[in-house]
């Protein structure tokens, strides 16, 4: 018998169910039932991210990215951060077992349900996501790809920050040239100096708040990267919808979408502001 760590499973430990949850760059995401390692071998419903094994097999980069993502997720334990159960890597396709979020990605949820979502739902999405990102920063993790497409919703509509493909265990990250970056969400100093810090996550989180109040619309929709960069250079930033609470609109305009990171607030300040605003919404 092979000895496996707490985070390693055999493929047989996960029973794949028929339900397909989605498809990503890695491959399919399916519902599964995982036999956990606790003494009672409790079963949990999980989402299984499968690394597609194409004819020419998976590339080293894909495997590296998947393992990078799981290594970061293992360190995390917070109600608003997607939980990882472990991996099965002894054969292909590789499996990544993660917390099941049956309401799917927040972006699609906002688009599909915009007629029925209440302002109380929206402030809860903002608050939960903000708490998740504040927790990441408390653990010295930069997310680097915050957007509503990377926030998942559980059955009871709790938001979970997910997709740690670009995340880094540091509080300052300098980008190498020619890397793929999510331009429409980036702070001026990332676009101009190629650096990522907790303050650049705060700027991207401003875009998340904007997306929530715009029902899942993408920032700068229809504009190309060059146009977006020119706008940021002129310090023209997004403005929150008038449906957002006044205090939050003010915070985002004065302390989030600002050019100088020194003048930008922390995720903790966003959480505090939203906690206060939440009381006025209900
Ligand atoms: P990328 O392509 O950058 O990896 P992605 O979000 O497109 O990101 P995945 O993370 O593989 O790709 O997810 C694909 C889709 O599967 C998501 O959009 C979502 O609908 C669904 N999904 C992913 N993870 C879960 C989960 N834990 N619970 C429920 N559905 C999920």
């Amino acid at each position: 018998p092979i000895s496996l760590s707490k985070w390693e499973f055999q493929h047989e430990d996960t029973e794949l169910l028929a339900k397909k949850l989605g498809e990503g760059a890695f491959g399919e995401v399916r519902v599964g039932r995982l036999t956990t390692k606790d003494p009672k071998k409790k079963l949990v419903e999980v989402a299984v991210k499968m690394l597609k094994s194409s004819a020419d097999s998976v590339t080293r980069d894909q495997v590296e990215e998947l393992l990078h993502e799981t290594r970061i997720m293992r360190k995390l334990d917070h109600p608003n951060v997607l939980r990882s159960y472990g991996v099965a890597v002894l054969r292909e396709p590789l499996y990544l077992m993660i917390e099941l979020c049956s309401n799917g990605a927040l972006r699609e949820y906002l688009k599909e349900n915009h007629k029925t979502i209440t302002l109380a739902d929206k402030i809860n999405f903002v608050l939960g996501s903000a708490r998740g990102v504040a927790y990441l920063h408390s653990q010295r993790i930069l997310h680097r790809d915050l957007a509503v497409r990377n926030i998942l919703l559980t059955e009871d509509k709790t938001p979970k920050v997910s997709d740690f493909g670009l995340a880094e265990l540091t509080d300052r990250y300098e980008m190498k040239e020619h890397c793929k970056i999510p331009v429409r969400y980036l702070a001026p100093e990332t676009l101009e100096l190629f650096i990522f810090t907790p303050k650049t996550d705060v700027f991207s989180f401003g875009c998340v708040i904007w997306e929530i109040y715009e029902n899942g619309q993408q920032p700068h929709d229809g504009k190309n990267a060059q146009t977006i960069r020119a706008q940021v250079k002129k310090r023209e930033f997004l403005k929150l919808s008038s449906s957002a609470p006044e205090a939050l609109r003010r915070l985002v305009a004065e302390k989030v979408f600002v050019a100088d990171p020194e003048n930008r607030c922390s995720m903790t300040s966003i959480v505090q502001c939203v906690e206060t605003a939440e009381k006025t919404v209900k």
Side-chain angles (χ1 to χ4, degrees):
I2 11 164
S3 91
L4 297 170
S5 78
K6 184 179 159 202
W7 301 100
E8 292 169 293
F9 290 86
Q10 291 186 278
H11 283 72
E12 293 68 32
D13 295 325
T14 304
E15 180 197 348
L16 281 186
L17 306 184
K19 192 172 157 64
K20 186 172 158 178
L21 292 163
E23 184 107 38
F26 282 119
E28 251 179 44
V29 185
R30 295 258 297 269
V31 178
R33 211 175 276 137
L34 173 72
T35 308
T36 57
K37 290 184 192 268
D38 71 31
K40 289 187 186 137
K41 294 192 177 296
K42 205 177 81 186
L43 290 174
V44 282
E45 287 229 314
V46 294
V48 187
K49 231 167 149 166
M50 301 160 74
L51 189 60
K52 56 176 159 231
S53 64
S54 50
D56 37 280
S57 197
V58 293
T59 68
R60 264 190 88 86
D61 280 358
Q62 284 178 312
V63 176
E64 257 318 302
E65 195 180 327
L66 188 82
L67 294 179
H68 171 82
E69 193 169 346
T70 64
R71 274 194 291 267
I72 296 222
M73 288 174 88
R74 270 173 219 177
K75 299 180 193 296
L76 307 175
D77 181 15
H78 187 276
N80 297 110
V81 173
L82 192 74
R83 184 172 159 189
S84 159
Y85 291 92
V87 293
V89 292
L90 296 174
R91 61 174 160 86
E92 289 185 9
L94 310 189
Y95 287 0
L96 167 55
M97 283 77 78
I98 49 184
E99 190 173 355
L100 178 63
C101 293
S102 51
N103 272 307
L106 179 55
R107 174 158 203 243
E108 276 64 43
Y109 187 87
L110 290 164
K111 282 175 162 281
E112 284 160 20
N113 300 287
H114 64 95
K115 291 203 177 110
T116 51
I117 295 177
T118 64
L119 289 172
D121 289 331
K122 289 194 177 184
I123 198 104
N124 277 324
F125 297 155
V126 175
L127 182 56
S129 312
R131 284 180 175 148
V133 181
Y135 168 77
L136 296 181
H137 289 177
S138 76
Q139 304 297 303
R140 259 188 109 225
I141 287 172
L142 297 179
H143 188 281
R144 302 209 304 127
D145 198 10
L146 293 170
V148 287
R149 70 185 136 76
N150 288 333
I151 295 170
L152 293 166
L153 277 188
T154 62
E155 185 65 38
D156 71 359
K157 294 192 264 175
T158 304
K160 304 264 175 176
V161 178
S162 79
D163 208 329
F164 294 88
L166 292 183
E168 294 292 340
L169 229 181
T170 177
D171 40 31
R172 190 187 156 88
Y173 180 87
E174 275 191 49
M175 201 178 73
K176 291 164 214 87
E177 273 177 78
H178 312 302
C179 289
K180 244 178 67 187
I181 47 166
V183 172
R184 50 188 85 241
Y185 297 85
L186 293 179
E189 69 272 24
T190 314
L191 292 175
E192 290 155 19
L193 307 167
F194 310 107
I195 52 170
F196 290 86
T197 64
K199 294 293 177 76
T200 62
D201 268 354
V202 167
F203 189 98
S204 305
F205 194 80
C207 299
V208 169
I209 302 175
W210 184 92
E211 290 182 296
I212 290 174
Y213 286 99
E214 297 292 341
N215 300 314
Q217 200 189 311
Q218 193 170 225
H220 312 290
D221 207 16
K223 292 180 195 149
N224 63 20
Q226 202 187 347
T227 311
I228 298 167
R229 282 175 187 276
Q231 244 177 285
V232 171
K233 204 162 182 185
K234 285 189 276 176
R235 308 306 187 219
E236 286 172 17
F237 303 129
L238 298 167
K239 264 181 83 171
L240 281 199
S241 148
S242 58
S243 62
E246 170 68 27
L248 188 57
R249 268 158 50 203
R250 202 172 330 118
L251 183 85
V252 170
E254 293 170 6
K255 298 271 179 202
V256 176
F257 290 146
V258 288
D260 185 351
E262 295 279 319
N263 296 331
R264 219 174 285 145
C265 68
S266 64
M267 280 310 301
T268 322
S269 306
I270 297 186
V271 171
Q272 281 163 0
C273 173
V274 182
E275 277 172 351
T276 311
E278 190 208 12
K279 296 187 188 102
T280 66
V281 174
K282 279 184 182 154

